[in-house]
Amino acid sequence: MEAARQIDPAWNAVAVEDRGAAPLFTVDVEAAGDIAARELLLDRAMGPMRRRKSSEKIRRGRLPAEGLALVARAEDGTLVGTVRLWHVTLGEGGARALLLGPLAVEPAMKSAGIGSRLMRDAIARAATLGHGAILLVGDPEYYVRFGFTAEKTAGLAMPGPFEKRRLLALELKPGALEGAAGVIAGSGDFVPHARVQAKRRTAAA
């Protein structure tokens, strides 16, 4: 049955209730107190190998884009879903875009529509904030429903092993990825402790 959905004017929370089998859950902006629960959820949903992904090299030590780190909570407040978007640069001196991921849902609740709701809300928020494009690495069979394809990513590469067919993009502004080429690199702010470590690595190079 179709889900009932209410969005508050400030976009701070989205309540979704499937009147069939799925429980009530809310989607809102990630808070500082969610970090530990989010990491545990990622471990359960994706396993320890998640830290070896090429996307993780881009995200490591950086802050997600402002207003674009979202979580889903069950009725009792338990964190049951997460998605973040990150600032990236497409090649040296290239265009700016967002990298989406990881998207994860509590394994026992994968059929509740949480992942789809997180995706749609993340895309809508990114568009409203004026971003031009979103990239991700994932299964095209799943992400095509949200408008992602590999049509605009032929000239792009990740900073590590990846499958070309799984590097996907969605233009939020027509032409935002025109001519995009090169290695995708993180460009967002570093978290405070990572900023110090990055300066030390640069000085030692």
Side-chain angles (χ1 to χ4, degrees), residues 13-202:
V14 180
V16 181
E17 181 179 6
D18 187 327
R19 303 189 191 284
L24 177 76
F25 64 88
T26 59
V27 174
D28 58 17
V29 177
E30 180 185 289
D34 294 324
I35 305 302
R38 176 184 177 275
E39 289 300 310
L40 291 173
L41 170 61
L42 290 173
D43 286 341
R44 290 193 299 274
M46 305 178 70
M49 294 298 290
R50 67 183 176 88
R51 294 182 175 85
R52 298 188 180 183
K53 294 178 179 290
S54 295
S55 298
E56 184 63 23
K57 295 180 181 180
I58 295 174
R59 299 187 291 256
R60 187 174 296 126
R62 295 184 184 271
L63 295 168
E66 186 173 356
L68 293 174
L70 308 180
V71 295
R73 307 181 199 281
E75 287 185 281
D76 63 359
T78 302
L79 195 147
V80 293
T82 175
V83 69
R84 284 175 163 184
L85 287 85
W86 311 77
H87 291 292
V88 294
T89 300
L90 309 180
E92 187 174 354
R96 293 178 178 270
L98 294 169
L99 179 70
L100 185 148
L103 169 69
V105 174
E106 184 64 47
M109 298 183 68
K110 281 193 171 182
S111 62
I114 296 171
S116 292
R117 183 57 60 195
L118 285 168
M119 283 295 300
R120 297 188 191 284
D121 284 3
I123 292 168
R125 291 174 188 239
T128 298
L129 290 170
H131 295 285
I134 303 174
L135 292 89
L136 60 81
V137 178
D139 295 332
E141 296 81 7
Y142 176 76
Y143 289 104
V144 67
R145 73 191 69 182
F146 307 110
F148 286 84
T149 73
E151 294 177 4
K152 300 284 187 176
T153 62
L156 295 170
M158 296 292 287
F162 74 103
E163 295 180 58
K164 290 289 290 185
R165 65 179 290 272
R166 300 182 75 243
L167 180 56
L168 311 175
L170 169 67
E171 285 189 332
L172 302 177
K173 296 179 180 179
L177 296 176
E178 195 67 36
V183 178
I184 301 169
S187 60
D189 291 338
F190 284 103
V191 297
H193 74 276
R195 185 180 297 116
V196 173
Q197 293 174 351
K199 288 182 178 179
R200 288 174 178 171
R201 286 195 297 268
T202 301

